[in-house]
Amino acid sequence: MSDALRGEWLKAWTGKAWLVLMLCGIYMSLMAAFGYGSEGSKAIDNGTATLASVTDDVVRAWMMTFLFASLYGAVVVTREYGSGSISRSVLLTGRSRLFGAKLAIGAVMGAVFGLLAVVCSVLSAWGVMSTFGRDFEWTKETTLIALGVFVCNVLAAPWGVFLGWIIRHQIAAVVAVMALTLLMDPGIQRLAPEAASYLFTIAMSSIYRDVGHVLLSPQVALLVIAGWLAAAGFAAYRFFRVRDLT
């Protein structure tokens, strides 16, 4: 198994997919952070927000990185189907060990995405607030939000890995991850807020302590997320075992 993990770790850094996705996550999150900082500064002047609440919003903006952690998980699987190297990987490693190794390395890369998001969120809390002439106010709630952003990244990458095994086509997998995260789940949340709180990406909102929506408690949300991951993992492993590799 150690050889399989070492091989998947080297594959994880092959090419520029990890770099492109990290840069996209940083760009989108930073733009959102500046938006929250700008609106928050006006709200402070109007007396409808505090330094602490605006700092929370700026840090929370980095939850967007979990979308790119999911995309990375999907890409790291589907690109082997696209290049045709999946047959050689299975021949050298075996299906079970390859499945486990990609899942483990996917989770580790999710942690890398999460650490990057936390570091950037701390820097942006200082930089964005300074841009608008404000001091940032870091509270216990801010720490919990930053921790939630990290956890969401760690959980999102295996979700992408499982979807990659199920869908196998890279473009289709990327579109599916983006559609679920940006369109379908938020759309259902508007139509049926309570039911939508049990969706995978909406349950994530509880972990990074979003506000203004009907959400589960963080403890229940973690159980819901675990259920989704277990179901997706079972389907992914089943499909990987019974389908051919072409």
Side-chain angles (χ1 to χ4, degrees), residues 3 36 86 111 116 164 191 204 220:
D3 290 342
Y36 283 124
I86 187 66
L116 178 66
L191 296 173
M204 289 279 202
V220 175

Side-chain angles (χ1 to χ4, degrees), residues 6-219:
R6 191 178 303 113
E8 291 305 318
W9 179 248
L10 293 175
K11 288 180 189 176
W13 299 99
T14 301
K16 297 181 179 178
W18 61 272
L19 179 61
V20 170
L21 291 171
M22 284 183 181
L23 290 176
C24 287
I26 291 172
Y27 175 77
M28 288 188 63
S29 300
L30 192 58
M31 291 300 101
F34 269 102
Y36 283 124
S38 176
E39 293 300 319
S41 182
K42 297 174 184 174
I44 291 173
D45 289 336
N46 294 331
T48 57
T50 64
L51 285 174
S53 66
V54 177
T55 302
D56 289 349
D57 288 339
V58 170
V59 171
R60 191 181 289 112
W62 291 87
M63 63 83 184
M64 288 188 182
T65 53
F66 87 70
L67 166 63
F68 297 92
S70 294
L71 289 173
Y72 176 82
V75 168
V76 80
V77 173
T78 55
R79 69 182 177 185
E80 291 215 33
Y81 284 99
S83 66
S85 60
I86 187 66
S87 298
R88 185 176 60 184
S89 296
V90 169
L91 182 64
L92 294 174
T93 310
R95 296 199 188 213
S96 297
R97 290 203 307 163
L98 181 63
F99 187 89
K102 280 200 180 295
L103 174 59
I105 297 303
V108 171
M109 288 301 291
V112 173
F113 274 74
L115 285 174
L116 178 66
V118 170
V119 171
C120 289
S121 71
V122 175
L123 294 176
S124 69
W126 168 76
V128 170
M129 298 299 281
S130 297
T131 299
F132 296 100
R134 309 283 183 179
D135 293 326
F136 72 93
E137 186 172 332
W138 195 279
T139 64
K140 179 182 177 182
E141 177 68 12
T142 319
T143 299
L144 292 175
I145 292 169
L147 179 61
V149 170
F150 173 79
V151 171
C152 286
N153 275 271
V154 175
L155 296 173
W159 175 249
V161 169
F162 292 147
L163 292 180
W165 284 123
I166 293 170
I167 299 174
R168 304 203 304 183
H169 190 279
Q170 188 168 101
I171 294 177
V174 168
V175 170
V177 170
M178 295 188 70
L180 283 171
T181 306
L182 301 178
L183 296 175
M184 291 184 63
D185 288 2
I188 296 173
Q189 188 181 32
R190 291 191 176 187
L191 296 173
E194 292 189 8
S197 64
Y198 290 90
L199 298 173
F200 181 82
T201 61
I202 304 302
M204 289 279 202
S205 304
S206 299
I207 308 304
Y208 61 79
R209 305 175 76 82
D210 200 3
V211 293
H213 301 289
V214 177
L215 297 175
L216 304 171
S217 69
Q219 295 83 356

